[in-house]
Amino acid sequence: MASTANTVHGRVEQARVELTPVQMAAGMLFVAALGYTLLFVQDPLVHDSMHNFRHAAGIACH
């Protein structure tokens, strides 16, 4: 039984084939907006909730 390796390169190539330019632009806009929010929102309550969200998503930030 042959299986293909699930690699980042393979997933990027699959996304390149399957997604339209509009979908890619929407995804990049979402990532940019999320990055902006994580970087510049420093209100303690919002900052703490975003910090907890990053940890829940598996992102190690310290």
Side-chain angles (χ1 to χ4, degrees), residues 2-3 5 7-9 15 20 22 25 30 32 35-37 39 44 46 55-56 62:
S3 65
T7 63
V8 173
H9 180 3
T20 66
V22 173
F30 176 74
Y36 177 84
T37 301
L39 184 61
V46 176
H55 282 288
H62 49 80

Side-chain angles (χ1 to χ4, degrees), residues 2-31:
S3 65
T4 59
N6 188 10
T7 63
V8 173
H9 180 3
R11 283 180 267 168
V12 168
E13 190 60 35
Q14 181 181 3
R16 188 175 292 143
V17 170
E18 293 181 4
L19 296 177
T20 66
V22 173
Q23 289 172 322
M24 284 188 217
M28 300 222 9
L29 181 63
F30 176 74
V31 169

Side-chain angles (χ1 to χ4, degrees), residues 35-61:
Y36 177 84
T37 301
L38 293 174
L39 184 61
F40 291 109
V41 174
Q42 295 298 320
D43 179 49
L45 181 63
V46 176
H47 178 79
D48 288 344
S49 68
M50 289 301 224
H51 181 89
N52 293 337
F53 175 78
R54 287 190 300 250
H55 282 288
I59 301 169
C61 56

